[in-house]
Amino acid sequence: MNLSFQTSSLKSVKADAVVYFIEESKTTFKKRIAELRKLFGKRIDHIIELENFTGKDSESLSILTEGKLASPRLLLIGLGDEKKLTIEKFRRAAARSAKQAKGMKLKHVAMVLPEASETITDVELAKALAEGAYLSLYKYDKYLTENKEKKNVAQLTLVSEKKEIEKEINKVLREVKFVCEAVYLTRNLENAPGNELYPESLAQIAKESAQKFGYRCTVWDKKKIQEMKFGGLLAVNSGSERPPRFIILEHNAGKKNLETIVLVGKGITFDAGGISIKPASGMGEMKMDMSGAAAVIGTMEAVARLKVPVHVIGLIPSTENLLGGAAMRPGDIITHYGGKTSEVDNTDAEGRLVLADALAYASIYKPKAVIDLATLTGACVVALGHYATGMMGNDDELMSKLKTAGEATYERVWQLPMYDEYEKLIKSDVADVKNVGGRWAGAITAGFFLKKFIGKYNWVHLDIAGTAILEEDLPYAPKGGSGVGVRLLVEMLKGWKTK
Ligand code: BES
Ligand code: MN
Ligand code: ZN
């Protein structure tokens, strides 16, 4: 979708529909209707009374403009209580209007920029509207050959009479487009089935993105992974015909005076559980077990296009977790990169095994911070559902940065405790650590397993099992892969202080 700004009015902007946002609160509601009355006369009062439109944040109303406006349709969209307006409310209102326009098969939608307030600026409004609209129009329809909706909104124009904000708004719209395209890429990777997306094809797509947008991509094949002694990645891969890959991405390579941040993404392209096989019901969702990897690729693409002044490394250990004759067994002991050992008590706790190698390896970059993203545990979904990412780590400042970015983007994170007591749950009699911790606190014991392998750096683990894989639609993310992590990390990296 193309995003643009136009200095214009509700009356004179020309699109298939023009969206006008209306607050529910009495005096403001009256003020908005009075504006419309100037254009439509008394007819507007009749319509809103007949349709019982009051500006609630669930309401929308489409009106034919009959030549009173340059656009043939006016779409009134309720914002709800004016005192409770937040950036997220604007994202959702824009999403609602965009989806409605799509339903009406409209190509070009204009939105009148709502009034800025003391707490929300014009630029923030424009960003929220464009984001909400853009993200809500996503659909994974690659494999639909019948009933495929061919039309989608192709143009969104934000409209304001304030000429002076044009430059700033255009700048932010360009950024929104880059970020939303990265979220689309991440969602496409998540939703791609396991027969299309496997370690080699994932690496190929990362390579193409890197080439296109000017960041670096190095891919290790199985031989190199063996040479490097990535025992966790090789053990998980052993039940699979398809070889593993280790993908290394780099933005701002070789630039001095920039701090280094390493992002690590779990890249299990399909997780059957291995010999500790998962139940059949719902197993297909495990094609999305590479959502951490997808978020890292999306983030790298976005920060490269935005030229964010940070040195960012992306590390992706990728394999399937299947059950071939050579598969790892419960009871096996693995030697990871760096030499630490782990006992495999359950082959379905495979994510931590591949992340262990990557986290240990991350030390070579002497990073300021390492953040890993992984659809790591069902326990995290039980604890937080689909509305918050589980967060653990060893550095309060880094966690607070992520918390702030999470509130700003609405990709919210929630910290789980790393109290000492949990650590004994993953003690092993025969190796340095055991890969499962029993029934309780499964998200936390997984975090402790990872902690065993980190180097001397600040680290945060994000368990995105619930937030990446959606079982039903959210306001601007349809069921399936959500693309979570991209907006969160881009927001954090944009705000990263320079050295
Ligand atoms: N990929 C799964 C975690 C998962 C479950 C993600 C549901 C999204 C939705 C992970 O590899 C896994 O299987 N974890 C096990 C760990 C257990 C064996 C300790 C789990 O959560 O059951
Ligand atoms: Mn698993
Ligand atoms: Zn998994």
Side-chain angles (χ1 to χ4, degrees):
M1 182 167 64
N2 189 45
L3 302 173
S4 67
F5 176 80
Q6 198 177 313
T7 331
S8 182
S9 64
L10 170 63
K11 184 169 192 288
S12 48
V13 66
K14 224 175 153 178
D16 296 325
V18 53
V19 177
Y20 192 63
F21 296 100
I22 300 190
E23 298 85 341
E24 186 184 3
S25 326
K26 258 216 170 94
T27 49
T28 316
F29 183 81
K30 280 191 182 144
K31 193 171 123 191
R32 302 283 176 243
I33 301 302
E35 281 300 311
L36 295 175
R37 200 176 293 118
K38 285 185 205 157
L39 300 164
F40 291 94
K42 275 278 174 206
R43 182 164 84 95
I44 199 71
D45 298 277
H46 295 149
I47 295 172
I48 63 159
E49 206 187 312
L50 196 70
E51 301 286 345
N52 198 15
F53 182 86
T54 60
K56 286 199 180 57
D57 65 5
S58 55
E59 291 174 0
S60 58
L61 178 56
S62 167
I63 299 169
L64 294 175
T65 62
E66 298 177 348
K68 306 284 192 221
L69 308 183
S71 298
R73 284 180 205 79
L74 172 66
L75 205 53
L76 302 184
I77 297 288
L79 286 171
D81 187 345
E82 154 181 45
K83 287 190 207 72
K84 293 186 186 147
L85 281 178
T86 58
I87 294 286
E88 176 64 6
K89 285 258 168 94
F90 286 106
R91 282 191 202 102
R92 292 179 181 200
R96 221 154 11 95
S97 45
K99 282 190 273 190
Q100 192 154 341
K102 182 181 179 177
M104 297 193 293
K105 300 193 166 29
L106 306 182
K107 279 231 111 93
H108 181 186
V109 177
M111 290 183 187
V112 177
L113 209 59
E115 236 175 280
S117 67
E118 268 169 31
T119 48
I120 308 181
T121 65
D122 288 304
V123 172
E124 287 169 334
L125 282 168
K127 185 174 181 217
L129 294 181
E131 249 173 25
Y134 206 119
L135 296 174
S136 72
L137 293 172
Y138 176 86
K139 185 166 160 59
Y140 185 70
D141 58 5
K142 183 172 177 185
Y143 289 102
L144 294 179
T145 65
E146 292 168 27
N147 309 321
K148 185 164 172 161
E149 295 161 34
K150 287 198 189 67
K151 277 200 175 163
N152 206 340
V153 179
Q155 172 71 38
L156 173 64
T157 307
L158 298 183
V159 178
S160 164
E161 292 181 55
K162 298 188 206 165
K163 175 87 181 139
E164 69 276 15
I165 61 175
E166 180 167 8
K167 213 173 146 194
E168 267 186 308
I169 304 277
N170 278 329
K171 182 171 166 244
V172 83
L173 291 181
R174 190 171 154 269
E175 292 179 4
V176 168
K177 190 172 164 72
F178 290 168
V179 172
C180 289
E181 282 181 355
V183 174
Y184 271 43
L185 169 65
T186 299
R187 287 178 180 176
N188 283 341
L189 291 170
E190 292 173 320
N191 291 326
N195 59 338
E196 174 195 329
L197 197 84
Y198 42 90
E200 294 158 283
S201 55
L202 180 68
Q204 187 54 35
I205 291 169
K207 253 192 179 151
E208 282 161 19
S209 164
Q211 250 157 31
K212 193 161 168 202
F213 296 112
Y215 61 99
R216 203 179 269 175
C217 175
T218 311
V219 178
W220 294 358
D221 61 8
K222 185 170 173 181
K223 197 166 145 264
K224 174 79 179 172
I225 294 166
Q226 284 166 332
E227 279 166 24
M228 294 304 289
K229 299 198 164 73
F230 275 32
L233 180 54
L234 291 165
V236 176
N237 180 251
S238 58
S240 179
E241 293 282 330
R242 297 192 187 281
R245 288 291 181 264
F246 186 65
I247 308 168
I248 304 171
L249 307 169
E250 188 168 7
H251 162 63
N252 281 331
K255 284 211 186 122
K256 295 199 176 92
N257 303 318
L258 295 179
E259 295 194 336
T260 302
I261 313 291
V262 178
L263 308 176
V264 180
K266 170 177 172 182
I268 302 294
T269 57
F270 184 74
D271 180 14
I275 299 297
S276 317
I277 191 171
K278 287 182 182 295
S281 152
M283 200 200 273
E285 276 187 8
M286 287 300 112
K287 69 175 185 179
M288 292 182 266
D289 209 18
M290 32 53 69
S291 295
V296 169
I297 296 171
T299 303
M300 295 300 300
E301 179 173 303
V303 297
R305 296 181 79 185
L306 294 168
K307 301 194 163 44
V308 175
V310 188
H311 179 217
V312 191
I313 303 281
L315 300 179
I316 297 170
S318 181
T319 173
E320 308 175 295
N321 185 25
L322 296 181
L323 316 76
M328 67 172 169
R329 296 146 285 254
D332 282 2
I333 297 173
I334 300 171
T335 303
H336 292 270
Y337 175 86
K340 284 190 186 150
T341 60
S342 73
E343 176 190 2
V344 180
D345 203 20
N346 186 319
T347 64
D348 197 11
E350 84 297 340
R352 63 199 75 181
L353 299 177
V354 306
L355 291 170
D357 295 333
L359 286 169
Y361 184 71
S363 287
I364 71 149
Y365 298 101
K366 299 191 173 31
K368 267 279 164 235
V370 176
I371 300 165
D372 76 74
L373 296 95
T375 46
L376 204 62
T377 66
C380 190
V381 193
V382 173
L384 300 174
H386 298 284
Y387 309 125
T389 291
M391 174 169 73
M392 282 150 266
N394 63 5
D395 183 61
D396 288 334
E397 201 185 316
L398 185 58
M399 285 193 279
S400 136
K401 278 197 166 95
L402 282 159
K403 185 127 185 88
T404 305
E407 300 293 335
T409 54
Y410 217 71
E411 294 196 342
R412 294 166 298 177
V413 298
W414 194 260
Q415 189 184 348
L416 301 174
M418 291 203 96
Y419 300 138
D420 294 342
E421 284 85 345
Y422 292 106
E423 200 175 350
K424 63 176 182 298
L425 300 175
I426 51 167
K427 228 182 109 21
S428 164
D429 296 329
V430 291
D432 296 336
V433 63
K434 191 172 65 173
N435 82 330
V436 292
R439 176 128 195 240
W440 310 118
I444 297 173
T445 50
F448 267 99
F449 183 95
L450 300 180
K451 192 163 184 262
K452 266 273 184 208
F453 293 89
I454 64 173
K456 287 190 177 56
Y457 49 67
N458 296 330
W459 160 75
V460 166
H461 159 57
L462 298 173
D463 193 332
I464 57 172
T467 46
I469 303 174
L470 302 177
E471 284 157 355
E472 46 191 87
D473 293 356
L474 290 183
Y476 47 90
K479 181 176 173 223
S482 69
V484 75
V486 175
R487 289 192 303 121
L488 174 75
L489 292 173
V490 170
E491 176 74 18
M492 189 205 69
L493 292 167
K494 271 172 65 183
W496 200 266
K497 62 166 187 352
T498 37
K499 221 178 202 173

